[in-house]
Amino acid sequence: MTDSILEVTDLSVEFATYGGRVKAVRGVSFDVKAGETLAIVGESGCGKSVTVQSLMGIIPMPPGEITGGVAKLNGKDILGLTSKEANEFRGVKIGMIFQDPMTSLNPTMTIGDQIAETLMVHRGMGKKDAFDRAVELLDKTKISEAAKRAKQYPFEFSGGMLQRAMIAQSLACNPSLLIADEPTTALDVTIQAQILELMSELQRTENMSIILITHDLAVVARMADRVAVMYAGQIVESGTVDEIFYESAHPYTLGLRAAMPSNKTTREKKLTPILGSPPDLFHPPTGCGYFARCPYAMKSCEKMLPPECLLTAESNHQSRCWLQHPDAPEVQELFQPARTQEEAPDAG
Amino acid sequence: MLVKTENLKKHFQIGRGQNLHAVDGLSIEIAENEILGLVGESGSGKSTFGKTLIGLHPATSGKAYYKGEELPQRFTAADHLKYSRELQMIFQDPYSSLNPRMTVLDIVGEGISIQGQHTQSQVKELVAEWLIKVGLNADHMSRYPHEFSGGQRQRIGIARAMIIEPRFVVCDEPISALDVSVQAQVINLLDELKRSMGLTMLFIAHDLSMVRYVSDRMAVMYLGTLVEMGPSDQVFFEPQHPYTKLLIESNPEPDPRLERERGFVPIQGEITSPVNVGAGCRFADRCPSMSEQCQRETPPITQIASDHVVSCHLFS
């Protein structure tokens, strides 16, 4: 694929702990095309943050270790970099914003100085020029009175303003890719709407690609072009946003959707929770990770890991489920009444 | 009405002449067996209201009633003992609301032990029974909170509140720290308990879709004041107050087609400081339909339908 700016193939990440090795990411492959937004969705502990942090090279190693896979940004490998090389590309080619801007910014430096520092280090700008540019960037992220605000410290900013400042900082070196790790989870819906709007606008004007990490399907619906659903360290389903929402294939994606109140559901209709809990990644299952909670699980799912199955010839909609394997019998009808699923075996 | 407040206020002194108006004159009523949802941005005073209502904060002024009986402005130890039998709370953060040095048995059983009507072995039996009711195992009672996941901890918090068999429970963002799949488990559990125990609830949350799903009526707060209150579906689908409208428009839906069609104009600005607020509508500086009157006069609460009130000059 020539128009992909980032290609990740079979990425695996493990952490050595006293309790053993946690297999946090288990063979993840995806690509990001120029100018698009890829959303990676999943619950806490599914490996979505670890995936992008390993791309940025910000996983502490040890205990972390990238045990396999390749990641190429514009054709250049980014996993095997020395720390000096990593410092040159991190924040320059890829910008990143985090869930908690309060702890991600330095409380002892003014906002303007922090953004200016990025420019001084990566662009070799002088202090004065860098600060002026920082003010411009704050202005671009719609912080009012940017010149005055740049001289203030993080504690003087609200949560939404800090997230804007983080975005300004991540844009400093015009990255071609912005990774946003739960950028609005800590914010109110009204501020979330502002930040999401700002991100889409900057994406258009700066021509950036975005990887959006989130657990909120509503945010995905609003922002994403394509979606990858992660579960237990693997991508279980991927496709365009419409395919994921309107032609959901993997039982986990269906389960997630049934667990949320849609604004059409009346109160009489019960939410359908996904019973049980995710598998223990110290000893990940050999078969499908979702086996223990899946209402459609078959005997073969327990021992054999399903491959990523292409669902249609025309598109790139994939699902990692035996039910969608080309050799599987036609089971489409089974999925229609997904909301009335009875009971999943408990993970115990 | 099981629970009722009249012009309830809670101000915090935060320094010389600095008065934080967290809750600034809230009057609500909750009928027996009803769930009232309370929504608003962070800093709007929802949690403070819940806590003041059941005596965890002393009220600054105003009145709160339970079963027609006026609750004391400042709870004494004896009041706590008396009212905790009937009024309970489930907290937002399942991590900081459970004492890490206590076992689950001590945490869940503490309330009924203090009430002193059960022997030690009865307490143990009841704890076991409740752990099962909330979907945990009876043998979990000898464990400590750190051995549980977020969803399990929230269940422990629910068991702790419910074991007393209260009549009225304040649920302060009981699901916002949980994953989607687990949220549904906890909501269904609360729903079941509500039905089986005939509970009345104040359900505080910022997830509008979930509040609409859970509650019979919905109240919207902004900077310590009530902005709009009415039947959930009415408030959600036909919001009247400019703030409610903007809040609901900001709420994304898990439906890409709907999101693409949405003509999106996010609300401008941020919630202002609740310190030393003056007269006038609290929402005036962010309101698209602000008039000169809004800056001078506090809008009265206006009834626009039998069970639907709005606090806005557009309706008065």
Side-chain angles (χ1 to χ4, degrees):
Chain A
M1 271 171 262
T2 47
D3 57 344
S4 298
I5 65 160
L6 177 73
E7 275 178 78
V8 177
T9 323
D10 214 21
L11 179 73
S12 297
V13 185
E14 295 183 6
F15 290 90
T17 70
Y18 289 117
R21 293 181 76 82
V22 184
K23 295 163 187 75
V25 178
R26 307 186 292 142
V28 162
S29 305
F30 61 89
D31 65 308
V32 184
K33 297 183 175 58
E36 77 165 355
T37 301
L38 171 75
I40 303 182
V41 229
E43 294 177 65
S44 29
C46 74
K48 53 192 194 302
S49 291
V50 173
T51 301
V52 292
Q53 284 171 7
S54 56
L55 297 179
M56 284 294 275
I58 51 173
I59 284 188
M61 298 198 235
E65 191 191 335
I66 295 172
T67 50
V70 186
K72 285 185 173 163
L73 183 71
N74 295 321
K76 270 183 71 180
D77 180 42
I78 54 170
L79 290 182
L81 299 177
T82 63
S83 65
K84 188 160 174 263
E85 287 170 327
N87 278 340
E88 278 162 15
F89 112 95
R90 190 189 296 145
V92 182
K93 302 270 172 53
I94 305 183
M96 186 156 180
I97 56 177
F98 299 89
Q99 173 172 356
D100 188 354
M102 197 73 220
T103 55
S104 310
L105 290 164
N106 185 340
T108 68
M109 276 174 90
T110 64
I111 297 286
D113 282 343
Q114 294 190 50
I115 300 172
E117 188 185 36
T118 313
L119 291 160
M120 282 151 66
V121 171
H122 290 303
R123 288 279 183 266
M125 289 169 87
K127 200 167 181 187
K128 171 94 186 31
D129 288 349
F131 196 86
D132 289 346
R133 176 81 185 119
V135 174
E136 274 171 43
L137 285 163
L138 287 174
D139 198 48
K140 206 186 231 174
T141 53
K142 306 217 169 87
I143 288 183
S144 53
E145 301 177 84
K148 184 181 137 210
R149 286 296 192 164
K151 294 196 186 98
Q152 292 182 335
Y153 289 89
F155 78 90
E156 295 169 273
F157 277 49
S158 67
M161 302 269 288
L162 283 172
Q163 200 56 281
R164 286 170 196 271
M166 284 253 289
I167 293 174
Q169 187 177 31
S170 67
L171 294 180
C173 296
N174 302 320
S176 48
L177 175 65
L178 177 71
I179 297 177
D181 189 355
E182 304 262 12
T184 57
T185 307
L187 306 174
D188 280 310
V189 275
T190 52
I191 309 299
Q192 165 172 286
Q194 294 174 2
I195 297 290
L196 294 180
E197 179 73 9
L198 176 69
M199 283 172 57
S200 332
E201 197 186 310
L202 290 171
Q203 178 174 34
R204 281 193 300 273
T205 56
E206 311 287 307
N207 195 25
M208 277 187 309
S209 305
I210 295 180
I211 298 181
L212 177 71
I213 309 285
T214 180
H215 67 272
D216 186 341
L217 285 176
V219 171
V220 174
R222 161 127 176 69
M223 296 291 287
D225 298 307
R226 285 193 306 133
V227 184
V229 183
M230 274 190 85
Y231 188 78
Q234 294 173 326
I235 292 178
V236 294
E237 184 170 355
S238 61
T240 65
V241 67
D242 283 23
E243 283 164 348
I244 297 293
F245 280 86
Y246 303 123
E247 289 155 46
S248 323
H250 197 280
Y252 176 62
T253 316
L254 289 161
L256 274 185
R257 289 188 40 224
M260 293 178 70
S262 99
N263 292 330
K264 288 155 212 139
T265 349
T266 56
R267 266 162 49 80
E268 285 66 41
K269 205 161 180 180
K270 267 194 144 190
L271 296 176
T272 313
I274 301 176
L275 299 171
S277 46
D280 170 15
L281 291 180
F282 284 107
H283 309 286
T286 47
C288 173
Y290 191 55
F291 170 75
R293 302 172 84 183
C294 181
Y296 309 110
M298 306 175 288
K299 236 184 201 154
S300 53
C301 303
E302 187 179 4
K303 292 276 172 268
M304 291 190 292
L305 178 68
E308 287 177 312
C309 308
L310 211 54
L311 295 175
T312 51
E314 313 84 69
S315 78
N316 205 18
H317 186 192
Q318 295 186 346
S319 170
R320 198 182 260 280
C321 179
W322 283 119
L323 293 172
Q324 278 106 32
H325 193 268
D327 295 344
E330 188 60 43
V331 283
Q332 225 33 53
E333 317 80 72
L334 191 60
F335 286 115
Q336 297 313 323
R339 279 179 180 281
T340 61
Q341 73 182 67
E342 287 299 324
E343 237 176 63
D346 203 284
Chain B
M1 289 298 146
L2 187 73
V3 175
K4 186 177 163 191
T5 66
E6 273 173 11
N7 211 13
L8 192 70
K9 289 188 183 179
K10 174 66 200 171
H11 296 177
F12 293 97
Q13 288 271 324
I14 54 162
R16 247 176 296 135
Q18 301 263 59
N19 225 339
L20 192 151
H21 298 227
V23 178
D24 218 8
L26 216 60
S27 306
I28 56 142
E29 289 180 343
I30 308 175
E32 186 119 38
N33 234 330
E34 182 185 47
I35 301 185
L36 177 69
L38 185 58
V39 292
E41 288 172 84
S42 38
S44 60
K46 338 183 262 300
S47 296
T48 308
F49 174 70
K51 287 181 183 165
T52 310
L53 180 58
I54 63 165
L56 297 183
H57 286 313
T60 306
S61 67
K63 292 189 171 91
Y65 299 90
Y66 173 70
K67 284 203 235 167
E69 186 183 327
E70 192 180 331
L71 293 173
Q73 197 161 357
R74 183 181 288 276
F75 276 52
T76 60
D79 290 327
H80 278 300
L81 195 61
K82 176 177 170 201
Y83 287 109
S84 65
R85 262 171 235 167
E86 315 250 320
L87 313 174
Q88 278 292 325
M89 181 147 181
I90 297 168
F91 296 91
Q92 170 172 13
D93 184 351
Y95 292 87
S96 63
S97 60
L98 302 179
N99 187 337
R101 295 177 169 219
M102 284 165 79
T103 61
V104 172
L105 172 64
D106 295 337
I107 291 171
V108 177
E110 191 179 22
I112 39 172
S113 301
I114 290 173
Q115 299 290 352
Q117 285 152 357
H118 301 272
T119 64
Q120 224 23 52
S121 62
Q122 281 174 319
V123 167
K124 213 165 171 175
E125 254 170 58
L126 266 169
V127 170
E129 190 183 306
W130 270 97
L131 288 179
I132 292 164
K133 271 193 197 167
V134 298
L136 297 169
N137 284 328
D139 53 349
H140 282 159
M141 71 171 109
S142 54
R143 296 196 194 172
Y144 288 88
H146 74 91
E147 297 174 69
F148 296 92
S149 68
Q152 288 174 319
R153 283 169 190 238
Q154 199 55 278
R155 289 161 191 269
I156 297 172
I158 292 173
R160 169 174 68 182
M162 298 298 179
I163 196 167
I164 317 272
E165 307 207 355
R167 297 276 304 279
F168 176 67
V169 182
V170 174
C171 303
D172 186 6
E173 306 247 16
I175 52 163
S176 60
L178 307 176
D179 275 316
V180 177
S181 67
V182 182
Q183 282 186 355
Q185 296 176 6
V186 172
I187 288 295
N188 284 352
L189 171 65
L190 284 173
D191 189 52
E192 253 163 54
L193 293 175
K194 187 214 155 196
R195 280 166 212 271
S196 60
M197 300 169 65
L199 280 178
T200 305
M201 289 194 228
L202 177 69
F203 187 87
I204 302 172
H206 62 260
D207 179 341
L208 292 162
S209 315
M210 203 49 111
V211 171
R212 183 194 76 86
Y213 176 80
V214 171
S215 40
D216 303 302
R217 285 188 306 135
M218 196 193 276
V220 185
M221 271 183 89
Y222 189 78
L223 271 183
T225 56
L226 184 73
V227 155
E228 183 164 359
M229 180 162 65
S232 292
D233 283 0
Q234 232 177 72
V235 173
F236 192 88
F237 293 113
E238 297 152 45
Q240 298 300 320
H241 193 284
Y243 176 64
T244 319
K245 282 185 185 166
L246 287 165
L247 193 64
I248 284 161
E249 267 171 43
S250 311
N251 185 42
E253 302 214 22
D255 187 334
R257 273 177 213 143
L258 229 105
E259 284 300 317
R260 279 194 291 267
E261 285 160 15
R262 187 194 289 264
F264 204 70
V265 190
I267 180 175
Q268 297 304 307
E270 294 186 12
I271 197 163
T272 42
S273 157
V275 177
N276 296 343
V277 279
C281 174
R282 303 272 156 101
F283 184 58
D285 52 347
R286 289 170 91 184
C287 184
S289 13
M290 192 261 293
S291 73
E292 193 246 339
Q293 186 192 18
C294 305
Q295 289 183 312
R296 275 186 291 113
E297 293 167 40
T298 309
I301 302 263
T302 317
Q303 190 143 17
I304 55 165
S306 65
D307 192 24
H308 196 157
V309 294
V310 176
S311 165
C312 178
H313 285 304
L314 292 176
F315 299 91
S316 55

